[in-house]
Amino acid sequence: MTTPPLSPGFTGDWHAARRHCRRSCFCYHATWRLFRTAGVKGSPAWHERLYRKGLDDRAPWWPSRVLVCGSSDETMPRVLAGLTPTAHITVADACQAPLDVIRGWANQAEVDVTTIQSSAPELDGVTGRYDLAITDGLLSLLPDQETRDAAITRLAGLLAPDGLLLYTTRIAGPGGRLEYDRLGRAVQAAAAAFWFAPPIERWRLAQDRWLRPSRPSPYTHPAQVADAFFGAFEQVRLFTRTTPPTPALSVHPAFLARRGSVCVGVAATNPRS
């Protein structure tokens, strides 16, 4: 019997994480909605203005097929449903937990969404050609430049000849740490107590979450983000936002000192063959 998809919300995220997540992603997925609601960790909703700029010169009926590479919950497909209401959306993610939540949201919202469990950079099982590929923070999750290049090349190969890739991320300020890093680590460490594992493994996971800083973008300047896409695309446009996207960030000492993180968007077109 197939387990029904979970409705989005704190409870849905929590049950999905306990049901599906591995050690590497349990603390992240179990606490993600809390951070997103509080406005302290980056979310696709922060970048909606950048996505609109990337889509500005496209026809109102475009695109018809959209690929989302990685989505912690239903936020990215929800943003896309508002920007491209007639498109069919495919979401690929390495973990089944957010895919369960996304299917529950899609059923409630009556949005045309397909989910595929698949990991970058290979994206096995993702086939066809897409008018638009979109991903938020993906490159920050990959271990080295070679893997990041492979992911960009793979996404470029999934695009139609006139396709568009939109990528967004957040670059840490001069201090090198994203805002609320310690708070995030503390909450994730606490969540480790509820992972399905022996007590000693839960304790080790909690230690790991507390001691490991959050992963900012592997790039330190917006131009570096744009440069990463020139190997696979002929045209790359860069967008930035320096104002804090949420009230919680606006009162953080880093932003008060004008040393806050920067939201970066890239719109890449004309994939190289």
Side-chain angles (χ1 to χ4, degrees), residues 101-134:
V101 174
I102 289 166
R103 287 195 297 272
W105 165 80
N107 287 344
Q108 289 183 359
E110 299 183 341
V111 175
D112 189 12
V113 175
T114 297
T115 60
I116 302 173
Q117 187 173 6
S118 185
S119 302
E122 296 84 3
L123 294 179
D124 293 334
V126 182
T127 59
R129 287 290 182 266
Y130 295 86
D131 302 309
L132 171 65
I134 188 166

Side-chain angles (χ1 to χ4, degrees), residues 60-119:
W61 49 264
W62 188 96
S64 62
R65 298 190 70 209
V66 177
L67 172 65
V68 177
C69 185
S71 189
S72 301
D73 62 9
E74 80 286 352
T75 305
M76 180 67 88
R78 176 171 53 79
V79 169
L80 282 171
L83 295 174
T84 61
T86 62
H88 174 78
I89 300 171
T90 298
V91 181
D93 196 275
C95 180
Q96 191 62 237
L99 300 182
D100 266 18
V101 174
I102 289 166
R103 287 195 297 272
W105 165 80
N107 287 344
Q108 289 183 359
E110 299 183 341
V111 175
D112 189 12
V113 175
T114 297
T115 60
I116 302 173
Q117 187 173 6
S118 185
S119 302

